Every structure is written in C-alpha cells, then in structure tokens.
C-alpha cells in the first residue's frame, strides 16, 4: 500500500532550506491526514476515496500522447504532461521569465522567500502535501511596467496510462509593479476515462503595486479524478486580481482562493461557475482578507447541479480593523436539476471595522417550468430548452470575464 | 368544395386538480378558417388552449383531438409546434439571459429540420427576422434583448406575432391576444395577424370581448360557457353576445 506520503528522492534534497520545508510539509500532512467531515474546512467535501487508492508520484515520462490543445484564442501555450512541465513543447514568450520552479529554488535563492510557509499549516493539508514534494511547477516572473496582451495558457494534460498518479504542481507567479498579464489554466484529460489520479495544485501569486492579473481557469478532469487547487494571492497597493474558474470535471474538485488585500486600494474579483452531474462533488472555497483601507472584493459564483451531485460553496470575507472604507460583496446561486442534487453553502463574514460595505447572498432554485414550456411550444426540444436556460443562468457570471474571446471559450465549455 | 379538416376535437373532457373544466367539447376547424371562441372568465378558455399545446398539469379524461388526422394528445409540446401549432400566449413568459435571436433561431431551425428544410444560418435568419419585424413595426433592437424581459404589454404581443410570422404555423391559437393592448397596439397586432391569413392557415381566436373581432373578422363564432360550446354562428353572433351578455346564453343551454 502506497498512500499519498511516500519517501522518494527529489532534486535539491541536499539544500537544507528545501529539505526543511519538504520535511515540514510531510510532518504537517502526516499529522492532519486526509481531512474528514470532522474538519470544519472540509466538512461538505468527501475525500474517502483518497484513502482507498494506491498512488504513484508523477515523474517525467516518455511517449505521452501529448495532443496539442485547441484554444480559440491566441496564447503562449505552456504545457504540463501529467503535472510535469514540458518546456520542449511549450511556446515561451520573449521578455517574461518562465523557469521550472526547482531551478529557481536551486539557483536563484533570492526568490525562495516567496514560497509561503503559511501554506504548510494544518488548515491547508493538501498544500502541506504539495510542499512535501516541492519540485514540479513553474516560476513566472513579469517584470515591472510590462503589459502582456497575449494570454499565457497553462495547459495541463493528463493521461495516466492506468496508474493512480499523484501530480503535485506548485507555481509561483509574480507580476511586478505596474504590469499586467492574463493567465489561463486549462486542465483536461484523455486516455482511460475511469482512471483515478489526484491533481494537487498550488498557485502562489504576487501582484505588486498598480499591477493587474487576470486568472481564468477551466477544470475538466477525468470523472474519477480528484482535483484540489489552492490559489494564494497577495495583492499590493492599487493592484488587482481578477479571476474566474469553471469547474465541471473530476469526482471531487475544490478550487480554493485565498486573497490577501494587503495594501490600500487593492482589489479582487473572484468569480466562477460549476456544472456537474453523476456523483461528483465540486467545491468552491474563497477567503478574501481585507487587510487595508479602501480595498474592494466582489464574488459571483453560479452552479448547476444535476444527478446525485453535490455543489459546495464556502465563502469568507474578513475585514480587519484597519480596513476602513472597504467594500466586499459575495453572491452564490445554484440551479438544482434533480431532486437528488444538493448544494451546501457556508458564507462567513468577519467584520472588525466600521465604515465598510459588505454583503452576501445565496439562493438555489430549479429550472422554470413556464420557461421550458414556452420554449417547447415553439418547437425547441426539451433538452435544447434546458441547455439554453442553463447557459442563460450562468451567463452573468461568465460575462464578468473581461476578455471576450476567453469568455466565449468558457461559455462553450459550460454545458 | 370539400374542406380538409385540420383540427377535430370530439367530446373532450378534461380536469385540473380533480376539477372538471372542460365538459364535452366539440369543434372542427378546417384549413383556412378563422374561428372565434368567446366566453366569460373562468369558462376554461385558457385550459383549452393549454391542452391543445400540450402543457402539463391538465388531465384529459375522455374524448379525442386530431390534428391533420394524427392523435394530438400523444404528442409532446415540441412535436405539436413542429407539426404546425402555434399558441400566441396571453401572458408571454420572460426568459432572462436568452436573447430573442437565440431563442427564435433555435425554434425556426427545429421546425425547418422537422419539415425537411435546410436550417438557416445566422445571416439568413437575422435577415428574415428583420424583414418580418419591419412589417410589424418592431424596433430592430428588440430582437437583441432577452425574451420578453422588460417588454411592455404591447411589445410582448408584437413579439408573439413576430414569432408566428417567422414560424409560419398551419394553425394558430390566439389566447386573449388583445389583453394589455391599447388601441394602437391592437391595430398593429391585428394587422400582423390578418397578414398571416391565407387560404390554408387556420386560427382559433380566443377572446373575452367582441372588440378584437372588429379587427380580426372570424368566419365562425362560438360561445363557450361552462366547459362546452353553447352556441355557434357567424360573426354576427359576437355582436349579439356583446348586446345580451353571456348570461343570456348560459341560461339557454
């Protein structure tokens, strides 16, 4: 039986700093284990299956199927095969530093401090696990005063070839002062449809003064897979983080976004949609920390749940005492397509400052029978009518995406 | 001249939640005919139109409905629409997030596909809708808006008429087409409807008031009360009804 924690030798083990944080990660994960329903942060999201599986740590392999991903917009394509960065296949832009993370840790120690030791805490067990294997992933460094118009597309292609792979990916993304960039993550699978694997992703993102990052993501993993992602975002003065995540694949998926609005006028948009069937669990967890004055955050998450599936939304807005004149809004809405579909929603507001605007809301409903009949009475099939209504339901969330081509692409996937 | 029956309703009885609403209804409508069905509130007029279009929640307890010789009650709402039935609704439904063009293009192509005609591409479709819309005096921007959302009463009825013009049904049911319309809008909608009258297309105009029948002149008028037709006649029956009121007819039965 080989579980999630294994002793394997990784590059850089001889570096004391790296060895220490890997060991810390291992120890923290070993002490917490796979979270159960007793763990408040994971009480709605079942992870039982992870106990039952043997895992193989994903290592570079030859002869993967490596299909070229079709994207209907122009982008710099950066490929990962089973979680392993493939520079040979990737198209790397000029003027942006993109390096394997391990190379940065080994040869550019000045950046090591960016790897956040808060990730190795008991409340983030999978980030601790991720750090225990800290090796794979990339470093993206966008220099100050650079505007990168063409999106950087991080294409994660998985083909497990019958193995239960554990893919740990750790990306470090720094957008320096007064720069802007768009990052698109596309997680997809081809190969044996029933294969199990765990994609365990950490993105550490630093947005410096007056900088802006748009971060868009589609998660469409194999239907028996687990996908657990943490986006840890640090935003400086007048910086902005604008994100949208569409989750539709995997058996269990969590997209967790923690944003620290550290300095005045920092802002965040954390939007998303999920659409699911079968027995899947899709979890969207957010934690927005307003730590300074005049910071703003907006969240709009829309879900469509069918079959016996379960949608989970846990959204937290924290406003620190010094964060006066801040604004934080949050809205989660879900459409339940069957009697057995479920959503669990846990909004939390922690407000320690006066003079703030803060709101949250949650609603769930069903497809409107009158609308369905109206469409059918015009000759539209019931299935098409449902699809049109579902697309309409998700439309306002997807329309938050500033890039029209990327929004159109995500709309195509949101079916 | 022998006429081809389009819709044949025989001894129809139906109920909603155990309440008998339609109690032995008979009506045959031939190709090209325009029939008016007039009745007081609560007579079951909307129940009849909903049953004809296949809305759920109504139980037909006996009788039959044949459309072009086929068993209409065995068909789904979309099959009925594709066979050529169109209900111009009394209260058109708002569909936020679905633009009129998207909605109508799906409908047109579903029906064209059923008829064995090639589907229209976006250009052809928009051109056709614009032409039909112009005839009805529709604001061109209306088709970009979400279906019926924020539409005035008159705009909703014009959109219903536009849909009818675009979908070209063989049989149209106009359920209280005049409700919520001022006199100018009523004229526009009626002209739109009249323009669609031809030797083959049949219509059933369901109305409460005689007023609408000044604009859409029927071939036959039926008085509908307590779940069945109590009297049939030509257009003059509508005038008689206006004079006497429904009470006179209900007592006659």
């Amino acid at each position: 039986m080989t579980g999630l924690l294994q002793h394997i030798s990784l590059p850089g083990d001889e570096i004391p700093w790296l060895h220490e944080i890997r060991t810390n990660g291992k120890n923290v994960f070993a002490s917490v284990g796979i979270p159960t329903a007793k763990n408040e942060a994971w009480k709605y999201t079942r992870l039982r299956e992870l106990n039952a599986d043997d895992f193989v740590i994903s290592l570079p392999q030859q002869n993967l199927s490596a299909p070229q991903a079709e994207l209907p917009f122009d982008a710099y394509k950066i490929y990962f095969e089973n979680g392993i960065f493939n520079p040979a296949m990737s198209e790397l832009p000029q003027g942006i530093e993109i390096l394997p993370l391990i190379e940065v840790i080994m040869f550019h120690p000045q950046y090591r401090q960016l790897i956040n030791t808060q990730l190795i805490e008991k409340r983030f067990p999978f980030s601790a696990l991720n750090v225990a294997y800290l090796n794979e992933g990339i470093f993206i460094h966008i220099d100050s005063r650079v505007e990168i118009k063409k999106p950087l597309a991080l294409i994660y292609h998985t083909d497990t070839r019958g193995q239960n792979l554990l893919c740990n990916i750790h990306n470090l993304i720094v957008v320096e002062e007064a720069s802007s960039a768009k990052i698109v993550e596309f997680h997809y699978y081809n190969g044996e449809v029933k294969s199990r694997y765990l994609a365990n992703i950490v993105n550490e993102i630093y947005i410096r003064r007056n900088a802006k990052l748009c971060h868009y993501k589609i998660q469409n993993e194999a239907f028996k897979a687990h996908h657990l992602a943490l986006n840890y975002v640090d935003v400086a003065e007048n910086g902005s983080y604008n994100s949208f995540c569409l989750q539709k694949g995997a058996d269990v998926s969590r997209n967790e976004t923690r944003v620290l609005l550290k300095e005045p006028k920092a802002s965040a948009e954390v939007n998303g949609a999920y659409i699911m069937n079968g027995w899947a669990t899709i979890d969207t967890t957010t934690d927005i920390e307003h730590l300074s004055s005049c910071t703003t955050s907006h969240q709009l998450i829309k879900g469509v749940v069918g079959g016996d599936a379960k949608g989970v939304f846990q959204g937290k807005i924290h406003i620190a005492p010094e964060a006066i004149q801040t604004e934080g809004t949050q809205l989660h809405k879900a459409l339940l397509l069957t009697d057995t579909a479920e959503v669990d929603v846990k909004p939390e507001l922690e407000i320690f400052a006066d003079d703030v605007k803060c709101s949250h809301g949650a609603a769930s409903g069903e497809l409107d029978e009158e609308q369905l009949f109206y469409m059918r009475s015009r000759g539209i099939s019931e299935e098409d009518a449902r699809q049109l209504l579902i697309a309409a339901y998700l439309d306002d969330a997807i329309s938050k995406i500033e890039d029209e081509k990327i929004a159109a692409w995500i709309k195509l996937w949101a079916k | 001249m022998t006429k081809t029956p389009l819709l044949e309703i025989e001894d129809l009885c139906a109920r909603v939640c155990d309440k008998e609403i339609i109690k032995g209804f008979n009506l045959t409508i031939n190709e090209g005919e325009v029939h008016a069905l007039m009745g007081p509130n609560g007579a079951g007029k909307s129940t009849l139109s909903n049953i004809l279009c296949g809305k759920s929640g109504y139980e037909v307890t006996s009788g039959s409905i044949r459309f072009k010789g086929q068993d209409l009650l065995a068909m789904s709402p979309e099959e009925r629409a594709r066979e050529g039935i169109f209900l111009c609704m009394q209260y058109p439904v708002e569909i936020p997030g679905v633009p009129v063009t998207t909605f109508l293009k799906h409908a047109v192509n579903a029906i064209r596909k059923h008829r064995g005609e090639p589907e229209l591409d976006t250009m052809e479709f928009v051109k056709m809708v614009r032409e039909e819309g112009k005839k009805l005096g529709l604001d061109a921007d209306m088709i970009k808006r979400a279906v019926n959302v924020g539409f005035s009463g008159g705009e909703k009825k014009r959109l219903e008429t536009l849909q009818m013009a675009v979908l070209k049904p063989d049989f149209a049911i106009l359920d209280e087409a005049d409700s919520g319309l001022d006199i100018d809008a009523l004229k526009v909608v009626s002209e739109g409807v009249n323009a669609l009258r031809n030797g083959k297309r049949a219509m059933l105009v369901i109305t409460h008031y005689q007023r609408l029948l000044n604009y859409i002149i029927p071939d036959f008028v039926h008085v509908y009360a307590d779940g069945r037709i109590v009297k049939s006649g030509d257009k003059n029956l509508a005038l008689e009804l206006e004079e006497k009121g429904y009470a006179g007819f209900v007592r006659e039965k």
Side-chain angles (χ1 to χ4, degrees), chain A residues 370-371 374 376 378-379, chain B residues 55 78 82 87 160 163:
Chain A
E370 295 288 330
Q371 292 174 348
Y374 188 65
R376 294 177 72 194
R378 300 316 189 224
Chain B
K55 192 171 185 181
E78 54 269 37
R82 292 170 193 172
L87 171 61
E160 294 290 292
Q163 291 179 44

Side-chain angles (χ1 to χ4, degrees), chain A residues 167-211:
Chain A
C167 308
N168 289 292
I169 301 147
H170 198 114
N171 298 319
L172 186 56
I173 298 160
V174 183
V175 187
E176 297 288 5
E177 277 193 31
S179 291
S180 71
K182 289 174 190 161
I183 287 181
V184 176
E185 281 185 61
F186 182 36
H187 298 263
Y188 76 111
Y189 180 83
N190 68 338
E192 167 58 47
V193 288
K194 284 188 176 174
S195 63
R196 297 161 181 275
Y197 55 91
L198 166 59
N200 184 22
I201 300 139
V202 172
N203 291 314
E204 287 194 72
I205 298 171
Y206 291 87
I207 298 169
R208 305 300 195 196
R209 280 178 59 190
N210 300 322

Side-chain angles (χ1 to χ4, degrees), chain A residues 368-371 373-384 388-389 391-393 395, chain B residues 53 55 77-78 81-82 86-87 89 93-98 103 107 110-111 148 160 163:
Chain A
D368 185 307
E369 286 297 330
E370 295 288 330
Q371 292 174 348
F373 174 69
Y374 188 65
M375 296 172 109
R376 294 177 72 194
S377 79
R378 300 316 189 224
I380 300 173
S381 71
E382 188 174 4
E383 183 50 32
D384 283 356
L388 283 170
L389 291 180
Y393 187 78
D395 189 69
Chain B
C53 293
K55 192 171 185 181
E78 54 269 37
R82 292 170 193 172
F86 181 88
L87 171 61
M89 292 198 190
V93 180
E94 295 185 8
I95 314 180
V98 178
F103 163 69
I111 289 174
N148 290 318
E160 294 290 292
Q163 291 179 44

Side-chain angles (χ1 to χ4, degrees), chain B residues 67-99:
Chain B
F67 183 67
K68 298 179 181 173
Q70 293 171 275
D71 179 6
L72 188 74
L73 295 173
M75 296 154 103
S76 67
E78 54 269 37
E79 286 168 335
R80 298 177 196 209
R82 292 170 193 172
E83 281 295 329
I85 291 187
F86 181 88
L87 171 61
C88 184
M89 292 198 190
Q90 182 178 8
Y91 302 111
V93 180
E94 295 185 8
I95 314 180
V98 178

Side-chain angles (χ1 to χ4, degrees), chain B residues 86-131:
Chain B
F86 181 88
L87 171 61
C88 184
M89 292 198 190
Q90 182 178 8
Y91 302 111
V93 180
E94 295 185 8
I95 314 180
V98 178
V100 171
T101 39
T102 308
F103 163 69
L104 209 44
K105 186 169 175 244
H106 272 80
V108 165
N109 281 336
I111 289 174
R112 288 181 70 93
K113 200 172 159 189
H114 180 77
R115 289 179 186 154
E117 295 166 5
E119 292 183 28
L120 297 182
D121 66 26
T122 304
M123 293 285 284
E124 295 167 322
F125 169 76
V126 169
K127 188 165 172 272
M128 177 184 74
V129 173
R130 283 191 186 283
E131 280 169 12

